[in-house]
Amino acid sequence: MIFPGEWLGVLGGGQLGRMFCMAAQSLGYRVCVLDPAADSPAGAVADRQILAGYTDAGALSELAGLCKAVTTEFESVPADSLERLAADCATSPSADAAAIAQDRRREKRFAQDCGLSVAPYQVISEAADLAAVDASLLPGVIKSTRLGYDGKGQVRVDRPDGVRRAWESLGGVPCVLEKWLRIEREVSVLVCRGRDGRSVTFAVAENEHRGGILAATIVPARVDASLALQARAAATTMAERLDYVGVLCVEFFVLPDGELLVNEMAPRPHNSGHYTIDACVTSQFDQQARILAELPLGETRQLAPAVMLNLLGDLWFEAGRLRPPPLGAAAAIAGACPHLYGKLEARPGRKMGHVTVLGTSLADALARAGEVSAVLGLEPVR
Ligand code: ADP
Ligand code: MG
C-alpha cells in the first residue's frame, strides 16, 4: 500500500476531483491536482495544484514525479496523457478503458461483447452513411461519438429527411443514431475494482434526468430485486472485461417490459453516486482513494435511504437577477445534507452543488426531498 503522507494525484479540477481530494485527505494523503484553471473546485482544496493543460508534457511528468499514484475525474481525459503518466507512476483507470468509455461506438460494441443489450443504433461516421439510414431507428437521437455530456452533443430527429440536418448541426463528426426509447426508469451502478481484481458494487441507483442532465437520484432504486441483481452483475462483468481499476459507473435504461439496456459508462465516480458520501459506510470517493492507495475496498452498505437533488446554476437566477438559492432553509430540513462545490460563477445548467436527503424509509426520504425541492424552487422528484 501507499502510506499516508504520500502524494496522490488527480487529472482534472472539477467537483468530482474536489470530493476525491477531501476523501483522500481524510485518509491522510496529500493530493495534487493538475488543471489549467486557477479557480477550480478541486484546486481550492488540494494540497497542491499544477496549473497546466492536461496534455502538457512537463506538467504530466511533474505530477508523475511527485505522486505515487494518479487518477482522473473527467470522462474526456486525453488517453495519451494517461499513458504518459502510466509510464512513470501507477495510473488508473487505464488509457484503454478510458478510450472505450470516451467513444460511444466502442462503448456500445464493448457492452454487446459482454453479452449485454444496448438501444438499437447505427453508426454515422461520414456523409455516405446517411444514404443508408435505418428508418426503424426513427424517431431517434443522434449523439456525437465523443465529448458528449449532460445531454450536450445530441439532437433529436423524427423523420428521415431530418437526419442530415441533425448530423450537420453536430458538425458532421462521427455519430451514432439511436432509437428514442420509451424508458420506464433509468438506473446506474457504481462498481469499484482494485488492482488485485477484487470488486464491489453499490446499491442500484434510480436516476431522473431533465433535459439530458441528472436532476435527482433515488437509492435504493424502485426496481425488483432480480433486476437489481442483473444490473449489478452487468456492471461487474464490464469492469472485469476491461480489467478496470478504479470506480466505474454504468448507466442503464429499464424498458416497460423489464428489459435492461446499457446506456453508457463513465470511467470515474459519478453524479449518481454522490449520495454515498452521506448515506453509505464508504463513499465512492473513499473507494477511489482506497483503490489508488492500494488499501482494501470499503463496505458499500447503505445506512439510510437517500434522495440526491442536483443544484444547477439555473437556481441562482431569479427574474434575471443573480442570487444564491435559500440554502439555509433547505439545510434546516431534517435529513438534508447540502454540498456546494465552491464555484464562483453560476451558469444555467452548471452543476453548483447537491443536497442529499436521508430518510428513515424511502418514502420518508422522498417526502423530505419534496420539502427541500419546494424550498429551493426545484421541480418535485417523480
Ligand atoms: P450524456 O453523455 O449526455 O449523459 P446520455 O446518452 O446518457 O448522454 O443521454 C442523456 C439522457 O438523455 C439519458 O440519461 C436519457 O434520459 C436521455 N436519452 C438518451 N438516449 C435516449 C434514448 N435512446 N431514448 C430515450 N432517452 C434517451
Ligand atoms: Mg448519461
Side-chain angles (χ1 to χ4, degrees):
M1 70 172 267
I2 296 172
F3 287 100
E6 297 279 12
W7 288 84
L8 301 178
V10 58
L11 263 184
Q15 64 269 18
L16 299 171
R18 177 183 177 95
M19 292 181 270
F20 164 75
C21 286
M22 292 168 162
Q25 287 164 337
S26 71
L27 285 168
Y29 295 95
R30 289 183 284 176
V31 186
C32 180
V33 167
L34 192 163
D35 193 275
D39 58 353
S40 72
V45 302
D47 297 276
R48 208 177 133 189
Q49 181 178 358
I50 299 172
L51 209 58
Y54 308 125
T55 55
D56 184 312
L60 290 168
S61 59
E62 192 184 342
L63 186 68
L66 174 68
C67 298
K68 283 277 191 291
V70 177
T71 187
T72 172
E73 62 105 40
F74 66 112
E75 181 153 356
S76 58
V77 56
D80 286 351
S81 298
L82 291 178
E83 214 150 278
R84 239 173 214 280
L85 287 166
D88 295 329
C89 78
T91 303
S92 60
S94 68
D96 286 349
I100 293 173
Q102 279 165 10
D103 182 328
R104 290 190 195 275
R105 207 172 12 177
R106 294 187 64 189
E107 184 174 63
K108 286 180 190 299
R109 213 177 298 135
F110 169 72
Q112 291 173 303
D113 289 345
C114 291
L116 305 167
S117 303
V118 299
Y121 74 101
Q122 164 182 351
V123 175
I124 300 180
S125 332
E126 51 183 38
D129 296 327
L130 294 167
V133 166
D134 177 354
S136 75
L137 297 177
L138 301 175
V141 51
I142 298 191
K143 304 179 180 179
S144 64
T145 58
R146 301 178 64 81
L147 299 173
Y149 70 100
D150 288 347
K152 295 189 179 77
Q154 306 194 3
V155 270
R156 292 284 299 276
V157 45
D158 292 330
R159 291 151 38 104
D161 60 5
V163 177
R164 175 177 296 273
R165 204 176 338 109
W167 179 66
E168 283 170 354
S169 77
L170 291 174
V173 295
C175 286
V176 294
L177 166 62
E178 220 176 275
K179 190 177 171 66
W180 190 259
L181 301 167
R182 216 183 104 217
I183 295 167
E184 175 84 16
R185 261 174 232 289
E186 294 192 57
V187 299
S188 56
V189 174
L190 284 163
V191 43
C192 313
R193 190 166 181 274
R195 211 164 277 288
D196 61 1
R198 279 177 210 256
S199 68
V200 291
T201 53
F202 283 93
V204 177
E206 176 177 343
N207 300 318
E208 182 178 336
H209 291 85
R210 294 180 200 142
I213 307 182
L214 185 68
T217 296
I218 300 164
V219 199
R222 295 165 293 183
V223 296
D224 61 49
S226 69
L227 190 114
L229 278 177
Q230 194 191 338
R232 290 172 92 151
T236 303
T237 300
M238 289 175 77
E240 275 168 6
R241 286 276 206 114
L242 285 169
D243 197 16
Y244 192 83
V245 177
V247 177
L248 176 77
C249 180
V250 183
E251 290 181 50
F252 301 89
F253 296 147
V254 182
L255 301 186
D257 65 0
E259 197 189 348
L260 187 71
L261 304 181
V262 173
N263 173 25
E264 59 171 353
M265 61 182 176
R268 50 165 174 78
H270 193 258
N271 196 166
S272 65
H274 290 356
Y275 81 93
T276 59
I277 295 175
D278 300 301
C280 295
V281 175
T282 314
S283 79
Q284 62 171 349
F285 303 103
D286 295 333
Q287 302 284 33
Q288 187 182 21
R290 283 172 179 243
I291 291 166
L292 212 54
E294 296 190 38
L295 292 168
L297 291 167
E299 194 186 357
T300 56
R301 183 162 49 94
Q302 189 178 355
L303 302 169
V307 177
M308 189 281 313
L309 304 170
N310 259 348
L311 305 178
L312 300 183
D314 310 60
L315 281 184
W316 270 247
F317 295 93
E318 198 185 37
R321 279 198 30 239
L322 198 63
R323 58 112 188 85
L327 288 163
I333 293 165
C337 310
H339 296 256
L340 287 179
Y341 309 144
K343 295 183 183 177
L344 300 176
E345 192 195 340
R347 287 194 295 269
R350 190 175 200 205
K351 290 173 177 169
M352 302 297 288
H354 69 270
V355 182
T356 298
V357 190
L358 303 179
T360 53
S361 64
L362 189 56
D364 182 47
L366 282 162
R368 291 171 174 190
E371 288 179 48
V372 172
S373 297
V375 160
L376 292 176
L378 288 166
E379 224 177 276
V381 173
R382 267 192 283 132

